[in-house]
Amino acid sequence: MDLTPQQLSQYNGTDPSKPIYVAIKGVIYDVTTGKSFYGPGGAYAMFAGKDASRALAKMSKNEEDVTPNLDGLDEKQIGVLNDWVQKFQAKYPVVGRAALSFNFYATSCPAAEFMVSNTVRSATSADPTIPGKLLRLLFHDCFVEGCDASVLLQGNGTERSDPANTSVGGFSVIDSAKRVLEIFCPETVSCADIIALAARDAVAIAGGPEIAIPTGRRDGKVSSALNVRPNIVDTSFTMDEMLKLFNSKGLSLDDLVTLSGAHTIGVAHCNAFSDRFQPDSKGKLTLVDKSLDTSYAEELMKKCPAGVSSSTTVNNDPATSFAFDNQYYTNLLAHKGLFQSDSVLIEDGRTRKQVEAFANDQESFFRSWGESFLKLTTIEVKTDDEGEIRRSCSFATTN
Ligand code: HEM
């Protein structure tokens, strides 16, 4: 049995009818007999439903260490981890493996991650808008049918053909990376992994945090435009509507605030925020959304007057457009959130404090970004026969 991080998290002891699982180095153990340690209220309850390799190696109970990522551990810590493996093997039955793992391609295609980051880097040096496109592409992939590259499939009635995806870009970068990978490692690296890695690299190239993400996703065979609208957030959504959708993907209110920070890079077409203005009788735009800073609103109306071309765009972050930083949160506090769904984050008492904290401390935003991004990239990941490794990212290989 292969379990995705999301599936594993269901065995965290909160449902008494289910066993409790803990994974170490990608192997999942049934630790139900050790309920007093791993069950609710137990001293190691934070490990339940997770791969706790790093935490065990470091003998740490910090939430941020409860991850399979072993980057930067020293020899002694790896030794401690291997002792834990032996203890678990002696005490608890193995029930399966983690579907995703760090360095999944270590033997099958060791240069896979390097090839993706090289492709993203050269595409970005030719076109600085690429990081924004790749990051949004990931969001639209993962929220509809999970992170399975279903957004890339071409054809009538696919996700890609839905109007909500018209302004999504970055496809050619994924295709370029896949072309290179097919030469060196044919039919090995999934398009779903390429999207996730490319978005991860895009953030780092734009100055954001460098993070390790697990790989091993498989490509989906299903892609329907009908699935797009019910799963993609609209700028007119209330906080409760956004939260409901995020929760349905296993993401929390904190993840919503953190991942919205993606709007610190990239662009938006004028029609994406036209609901904040209204033309008067002479066709001149006026501000209807009074929560917006008036000089910022003037600037937006100048760039996007009534009747503007549908291809005109403005930068999401008017101050540091191409830098992945915490400026988005500073903008929000100055009432310069571009979409209504951005402004809501400071108007709602449940999220304002988090916005203030991120505006004051970029490091804390980056730390949270690492955690929330990891969750985003593992939404409803496909395993085994649920997916395949496509030869071309635009078309399913088998039906
Ligand atoms: C929370 C609700 C969200 C809403 C309502 C929303 C909505 C939008 C809209 C309307 C655009 C402009 C698209 C265009 O006109 O071209 C946009 C751009 C963008 N969004 Fe979001 N978004 C949300 C969350 C996210 C998340 C979670 C991410 C990624 C983690 C993300 C990443 C981006 C990026 C990077 C861009 C710029 C795209 C580009 O430069 O081509 N957004 N978003």
Side-chain angles (χ1 to χ4, degrees):
M1 171 175 67
D2 279 359
L3 293 186
T4 64
Q6 230 170 17
Q7 290 164 333
L8 180 60
S9 70
Q10 287 159 19
Y11 300 92
N12 65 356
T14 51
D15 179 348
S17 68
K18 284 188 178 151
I20 305 174
Y21 294 165
V22 170
I24 312 181
K25 289 176 91 175
V27 176
I28 302 169
Y29 299 86
D30 182 340
V31 299
T32 314
T33 52
K35 209 180 202 156
S36 53
F37 300 117
Y38 303 104
Y44 303 109
M46 69 291 288
F47 298 167
K50 296 200 174 138
D51 188 318
S53 302
R54 188 180 193 82
L56 288 165
K58 290 176 72 179
M59 305 286 273
S60 156
K61 289 201 216 168
N62 289 342
E63 289 283 344
E64 65 198 44
D65 286 325
V66 188
T67 144
N69 185 4
L70 304 181
D71 276 2
L73 292 182
D74 60 29
E75 247 173 65
K76 198 171 153 212
Q77 290 167 324
I78 296 291
V80 172
L81 179 60
N82 291 336
D83 288 347
W84 277 110
V85 170
Q86 282 186 358
K87 276 185 212 152
F88 268 63
Q89 278 174 351
K91 210 166 166 190
Y92 302 117
V94 170
V95 288
R97 289 197 57 83
L100 300 183
S101 57
F102 286 86
N103 261 325
F104 181 84
Y105 298 110
T107 46
S108 60
C109 187
E113 298 203 12
F114 173 75
M115 289 184 212
V116 174
S117 76
N118 241 2
T119 308
V120 175
R121 201 169 286 282
S122 65
T124 305
S125 48
D127 174 1
T129 69
I130 291 295
K133 292 192 167 89
L134 291 172
L135 187 51
R136 184 164 181 240
L137 181 66
L138 171 80
F139 174 45
H140 281 228
D141 182 36
C142 294
F143 262 56
V144 185
E145 280 285 339
C147 305
D148 69 345
S150 51
V151 73
L152 302 182
L153 292 177
Q154 285 184 4
N156 282 343
T158 59
E159 290 171 29
R160 191 166 167 173
S161 70
D162 188 87
N165 281 330
T166 311
S167 60
V168 173
F171 297 99
S172 61
V173 182
I174 305 297
D175 286 340
S176 300
K178 179 65 171 172
R179 264 196 304 274
V180 176
L181 286 162
E182 282 305 294
I183 294 169
F184 292 97
C185 316
E187 294 174 49
T188 304
V189 181
S190 69
C191 301
D193 276 343
I194 299 173
I195 296 180
L197 291 168
R200 182 274 304 262
D201 295 335
V203 168
I205 289 167
E210 293 191 10
I211 45 188
I213 56 166
T215 39
R217 294 164 192 76
R218 292 178 72 80
D219 298 324
K221 301 173 201 169
V222 175
S223 178
S224 166
L226 297 175
N227 287 338
V228 176
R229 290 304 164 114
N231 287 292
I232 287 292
V233 193
D234 190 88
T235 53
S236 64
F237 275 24
T238 62
M239 176 63 85
D240 284 336
E241 286 168 333
M242 287 199 280
L243 186 57
K244 195 169 163 211
L245 197 53
F246 271 63
N247 282 166
S248 74
K249 309 290 173 195
L251 299 172
S252 65
L253 193 59
D254 278 355
D255 295 320
L256 169 61
V257 179
T258 305
L259 292 171
S260 295
H263 291 165
T264 186
I265 56 170
V267 299
H269 291 77
C270 294
N271 66 3
F273 52 90
S274 55
D275 55 347
R276 308 194 95 175
F277 308 100
Q278 210 174 38
D280 65 14
S281 56
K282 294 183 192 121
K284 189 177 173 306
L285 289 184
T286 53
L287 179 62
V288 281
D289 188 335
K290 301 291 181 212
S291 66
L292 212 55
D293 173 78
T294 46
S295 65
Y296 180 50
E298 286 296 333
E299 209 181 298
L300 292 176
M301 286 189 283
K302 216 184 263 170
K303 286 185 176 147
C304 298
V308 68
S309 145
S310 60
S311 61
T312 306
T313 57
V314 303
N315 293 324
N316 284 344
D317 170 359
T320 56
S321 323
F322 296 108
F324 193 98
D325 54 16
N326 64 339
Q327 181 65 38
Y328 167 77
Y329 300 100
T330 309
N331 295 342
L332 291 187
L333 293 174
H335 300 276
K336 294 181 181 176
L338 185 56
F339 310 124
Q340 176 175 330
S341 50
D342 295 321
S343 302
V344 165
L345 300 180
I346 53 156
E347 285 154 14
D348 195 295
R350 289 170 289 179
T351 47
R352 190 182 166 101
K353 280 220 155 51
Q354 192 67 57
V355 171
E356 286 168 348
F358 287 159
N360 285 328
D361 181 359
Q362 177 160 288
E363 275 314 303
S364 82
F365 166 48
F366 280 9
R367 266 196 309 278
S368 293
W369 178 267
E371 286 168 30
S372 299
F373 186 80
L374 207 62
K375 285 166 90 176
L376 173 64
T377 54
T378 50
I379 292 174
E380 295 160 37
V381 166
K382 305 271 186 304
T383 58
D384 301 324
D385 290 347
E386 290 166 350
E388 61 173 1
I389 307 293
R390 281 182 216 150
R391 284 192 209 113
S392 151
C393 286
S394 304
F395 302 98
T397 304
T398 55
N399 287 312

